Amino acid sequence: MPESPDLHPMTATTSDPFETSALTDYLQVHKASLITSDGSYAVSVQGEICLGKRVISYHLVPDEGFLGKSAKWRRMDNTAKLALLRERWNENTRAQLETKLSACAQQVIALAAEFELDPTRALGAFKAKYERASTRVTLALDRIKELASTLDAERQAKKTRDAVNLSLYPESFTMAQGMARHFIAVLGPTNSGKTHGAMEHLASAKSGAYLAPLRLLAIENYQRLLDAGVAVSLITGEQRKLHPGATHVASTVEMLNPNKMIEVAVIDEIQLLDDPDRGAAWTAAVCGVPAKTVYLLGALEARGAIESLVKRVGGTLEVRELQRMSPLEMEKAPLGSLKNLKPGDVLIAFSRREVLNWRDQAIEQGFAVSAIYGNLSPEVRQAQAERFISGETSIVVGTDAIGMGLNTPARRVIFTTANKWDGYAEGMISASLAKQIAGRAGRFGQHEAGFVAGLDGRTHKAIAALLLEKSDPLPTSGFYVAPNLDYLEQIAAATGQDKLEPLLELFTKHINVHDEFFLPANLSEQMAKARWLDALPLSLPDRVTFSLCPVSTKIPMLENALHDWAECRAKKRSASLLRMEGTGGRQRLQYLEDTCKLYAAYAWLGYRMPDTFPHGEMAQSLMQSTSEEIDTLLQRQNSQLRHPKKPQNSRRGPPSGNRSRRG
């Protein structure tokens, strides 16, 4: 949300820790947890109902369980929150919920018996952590009624479901399923040394793959393997560095090759299995990487999910839990003022705008500052981190982008806020995110301990509470799956549908998910692109490719480019790389960031459609030169703010006061 350049966001109200404990205890006793759904806080509850010998589990938001909009809930103290929670979820409301679920289940079971159907899938609708009970009751009845509908409709629905049966998803990876695989889960907090042993084993193996969540991490570990004398290639969506005799590959997880047998694979940040947007790539990697030994590196809360998934896909599992190698301590008091910054500090904000604002204020205190945020290319983020490591800069100001894949050996991590925009409202960050970011403090071998603080008193207390909070474990079912081209072609053959958007809708709504162990991923962005792609005379494979191109439709320059490129493909013309849409003017930094993304998207398409996008190598070169220009611009801004030109006829310039934010 827009804010004054000289103010940071207000944090949520905090209360007595005993009241917080009472709230937590009440949730635990009543098998409930707090969630956010559609911009509101709600209570999600678990339990079982018994009908004869059948035990039916549920995990739902009761109809009375919505507690208020995010902003209103955050303003309440914990006493009021507990009172409201007790009013909305108690033994009476549990009884009412279970009565409603029992009545629905009896109807479902009766219909199933009448038509000789299995009610399991319909009753599985009762397990949806973020959804309202009345919605899932309706869904359960709709499911069983659909199965009991007319014979023609049933046959057509069966053909559609049979086209992609997600209960057989692991079996679609024939090479991996034909192997005896051994999984080693190495789990622990940030700075616990999870990666070291796995990468040593990978480097010593005859063949292997490192699968990263980010291009930045793929590049970092590609270089790590190169330095160890390994013949390794780098393969990401936008970049290729192919070694002619490569035995190993470092790649982003989406670039998994399920058809080449290897000795060792390392899958990093395994807790991203629970990400509805990208988790499908981790599901595919665990199901499909054809390696004799598979390392799964990630957070401790992923253990149950890993055990469940490995049991389903087959193979043996070894779990190693690690502890942090150096202590992590909360400072006794908040920072209070940027005047109290010290070399080696990292300031955390949660938007590009705030990062640049705090960066400017830190520079005014006389520090050279590295800026790191998600909109920067991996190369710029790495360059900014290396300036900090080398001592060229002494402070980092960054978003949560520093929490994954960047070696920023901070002595102390300072949160400017504990709030982050979640798409609906600003709310408290999760305990797991707070721990991941805070864990960057006190890198083993460089600092005896790491320290964490908030900028102000409220933030300090909020972060301290989050670091003490126990993170929720990942779900042990509901692993996300995204449709590849083969799946979509099977659905097309079964239904006669040849448009991409309806095929994606069929995948998300009508496929056979059996026991809901595997679920369709969030395809909303892909479907938005498919809507206009279906209007072009393109083949289904081409529409799928363009729909997956990593281009944000929120940036007009990029969205326009993707439209133009798709039209070039439809007209069988080659697509131009250079798109001169102005120089950026006062918004030069933003313009360069978007331009770098443009070159990356062209390179991504160039690897998949080289006849239409023949300038892929030039795009790679321009990505690099633009990244260097961004890094140079950030450093120039550093210098200009630290050493401003003195105006004529004045010994000192005017105070910076309400200077507008850059970029």
Side-chain angles (χ1 to χ4, degrees):
M1 297 178 67
E3 296 174 314
S4 164
D6 301 303
L7 297 175
H8 50 82
M10 294 294 291
T11 56
T13 301
T14 56
S15 296
D16 188 283
F18 294 108
E19 295 173 347
T20 303
S21 176
L23 183 67
T24 302
D25 290 345
Y26 189 87
L27 289 167
Q28 291 177 345
V29 168
H30 289 81
K31 296 182 179 180
S33 60
L34 294 180
I35 61 147
T36 55
S37 177
D38 294 330
S40 297
Y41 271 84
V43 58
S44 181
V45 302
Q46 300 181 65
E48 294 177 342
I49 55 175
C50 297
L51 294 177
K53 295 182 179 180
R54 184 182 292 275
V55 178
I56 304 164
S57 300
Y58 63 85
H59 193 174
L60 297 163
V61 176
D63 292 342
E64 306 85 359
F66 280 78
L67 304 171
K69 291 292 184 181
S70 296
K72 179 180 178 181
W73 175 261
R74 290 196 309 275
R75 288 196 298 268
M76 298 169 63
D77 62 32
N78 282 317
T79 300
K81 289 177 180 177
L82 181 58
L84 180 58
L85 181 60
R86 284 174 168 162
E87 176 187 338
R88 299 292 172 84
W89 184 242
N90 50 54
E91 290 304 318
N92 287 336
T93 52
R94 181 184 289 277
Q96 292 170 11
L97 172 64
E98 292 186 351
T99 298
K100 178 188 291 186
L101 296 180
S102 295
C104 174
Q106 288 171 349
Q107 286 183 268
V108 168
I109 292 170
L111 277 170
E114 181 181 350
F115 293 94
E116 298 182 350
L117 300 171
D118 182 0
T120 303
R121 178 175 175 266
L123 295 174
F126 292 172
K127 296 177 72 174
K129 177 179 178 180
Y130 295 95
E131 295 199 39
R132 193 187 294 265
S134 57
T135 302
R136 302 304 287 188
V137 163
T138 300
L139 178 60
L141 290 170
D142 286 346
R143 282 181 177 177
I144 201 67
K145 288 175 182 177
E146 178 190 357
L147 291 173
S149 62
T150 65
L151 185 59
D152 286 343
E154 172 57 26
R155 284 175 178 172
Q156 187 59 49
K158 187 175 186 303
K159 284 177 66 178
T160 305
R161 291 193 302 274
D162 288 348
V164 185
N165 186 342
L166 285 194
S167 66
L168 300 177
Y169 179 70
E171 285 73 21
S172 67
F173 297 95
T174 54
M175 182 171 288
Q177 286 296 298
M179 298 175 63
R181 295 188 295 168
H182 179 57
F183 292 88
I184 303 175
V186 186
L187 308 176
T190 305
N191 214 345
S192 59
K194 297 186 294 291
T195 309
H196 181 72
M199 292 304 295
E200 281 195 334
H201 190 177
L202 178 60
S204 65
K206 294 179 181 179
S207 60
Y210 169 78
L211 302 175
L214 301 170
R215 182 158 64 97
L216 178 64
L217 271 172
I219 294 169
E220 178 184 310
N221 284 286
Y222 163 75
Q223 190 61 50
R224 186 174 186 167
L225 291 169
L226 273 182
D227 293 344
V230 176
V232 59
S233 291
L234 172 70
I235 300 177
T236 72
E238 307 89 347
Q239 193 172 8
R240 305 283 194 279
K241 292 183 180 179
L242 303 180
H243 190 294
T247 56
H248 290 60
V249 63
S251 74
T252 42
V253 68
E254 283 87 355
M255 303 307 292
L256 164 73
N257 182 354
N259 300 313
K260 183 178 180 181
M261 192 175 295
I262 52 178
E263 187 175 319
V264 174
V266 176
I267 304 174
D268 212 348
E269 303 293 352
I270 190 63
Q271 71 276 2
L272 291 175
L273 276 167
D274 194 37
D275 188 316
D277 297 314
R278 292 189 66 206
W282 276 262
T283 304
V286 175
C287 291
V289 64
K292 296 177 183 177
T293 301
V294 183
Y295 283 90
L296 307 174
L297 312 182
L300 290 164
E301 53 264 29
R303 178 167 183 161
I306 291 169
E307 291 171 339
S308 177
L309 185 54
V310 170
K311 181 179 179 181
R312 172 64 186 84
V313 304
T316 55
L317 174 62
E318 172 186 349
V319 178
R320 303 173 186 172
E321 292 194 358
L322 304 181
Q323 301 300 316
R324 186 179 161 86
M325 294 189 293
S326 59
L328 186 67
E329 303 173 13
M330 281 296 298
E331 294 273 36
K332 293 181 180 179
L335 185 71
S337 167
L338 295 193
K339 293 179 181 179
N340 298 321
L341 283 174
K342 296 178 181 179
D345 284 346
V346 171
L347 275 176
I348 300 297
F350 290 106
S351 72
R352 173 186 183 275
R353 183 179 182 181
E354 286 301 312
V355 165
L356 294 177
N357 177 42
W358 289 112
R359 178 204 64 167
D360 291 358
Q361 294 186 45
I363 290 172
E364 288 176 359
Q365 299 300 321
F367 294 101
V369 181
S370 289
I372 297 172
Y373 48 92
N375 204 45
L376 295 174
S377 71
E379 290 81 4
V380 178
R381 278 180 268 166
Q382 188 63 55
Q384 289 287 301
E386 287 173 357
R387 291 182 188 278
F388 179 67
I389 294 166
S390 69
E392 184 178 344
T393 61
S394 55
I395 300 289
V396 173
V397 181
T399 63
D400 43 337
I402 76 159
M404 187 183 297
L406 275 177
N407 178 16
T408 47
R411 187 189 70 84
R412 179 170 60 173
V413 169
I414 302 153
F415 289 78
T416 63
T417 177
N419 286 1
K420 182 180 179 182
W421 180 257
D422 63 4
Y424 298 99
E426 277 199 355
M428 189 83 73
I429 61 174
S430 67
S432 59
L433 180 58
K435 291 173 184 177
Q436 185 178 43
I437 297 170
R440 288 291 169 185
R443 187 171 184 83
F444 182 70
Q446 294 178 274
H447 302 285
E448 291 184 3
F451 297 91
V452 185
L455 181 64
D456 58 86
R458 287 182 175 180
T459 301
H460 193 78
K461 290 179 181 178
I463 295 299
L466 288 170
L467 296 187
L468 292 174
E469 187 176 313
K470 185 176 180 180
S471 299
D472 288 337
L474 268 63
T476 55
S477 63
F479 297 100
Y480 296 110
V481 174
N484 57 24
L485 178 60
D486 181 57
Y487 273 177
L488 294 172
E489 288 178 337
Q490 289 180 49
I491 299 174
T495 63
Q497 178 59 255
D498 63 354
K499 297 293 186 181
L500 179 56
E501 185 185 14
L503 289 173
L504 292 172
E505 287 180 345
L506 286 168
F507 181 85
T508 59
K509 296 179 180 178
H510 298 293
I511 56 173
N512 184 0
V513 294
H514 186 51
D515 56 0
E516 305 205 358
F517 190 83
F518 296 105
L519 292 175
N522 179 9
L523 305 178
S524 56
E525 186 170 345
Q526 187 180 8
M527 290 171 69
K529 293 175 182 174
R531 195 166 298 125
W532 60 263
L533 284 166
D534 280 335
L536 296 174
L538 292 167
S539 67
L540 179 60
D542 282 353
R543 277 176 279 149
V544 170
T545 299
F546 278 111
S547 73
L548 293 172
C549 183
V551 163
S552 172
T553 55
K554 297 178 182 178
I555 302 175
M557 181 173 74
L558 301 183
E559 185 177 28
N560 293 339
L562 190 63
H563 278 263
D564 291 350
W565 290 340
E567 288 180 2
C568 285
R569 180 73 173 180
K571 295 175 181 177
K572 297 181 169 54
R573 298 201 317 251
S574 62
S576 171
L577 171 60
L578 298 177
R579 295 176 54 81
M580 303 305 293
E581 296 192 2
T583 60
R586 295 180 64 185
Q587 301 294 324
R588 180 69 176 168
L589 179 58
Q590 179 74 65
Y591 175 78
L592 290 173
E593 291 169 9
D594 294 345
T595 300
C596 199
K597 291 180 181 295
L598 181 78
Y599 296 144
Y602 189 100
W604 190 93
L605 289 165
Y607 285 117
R608 293 155 178 82
M609 302 174 177
D611 52 334
T612 303
F613 301 90
H615 308 300
E617 289 187 9
M618 183 186 295
Q620 290 281 349
S621 177
L622 289 170
M623 279 171 58
Q624 184 61 38
S625 62
T626 305
S627 293
E628 291 169 359
E629 186 176 353
I630 292 170
D631 184 55
T632 300
L633 178 57
L634 288 170
Q635 292 313 108
R636 187 186 306 133
Q637 292 175 347
N638 245 314
S639 178
Q640 290 170 345
L641 286 166
R642 293 176 70 206
H643 308 290
K645 293 181 180 179
K646 294 181 180 180
Q648 293 181 351
N649 303 321
S650 175
R651 297 178 62 184
R652 293 191 62 182
S656 55
N658 293 320
R659 179 186 58 256
S660 62
R661 294 172 184 166
R662 288 158 173 77

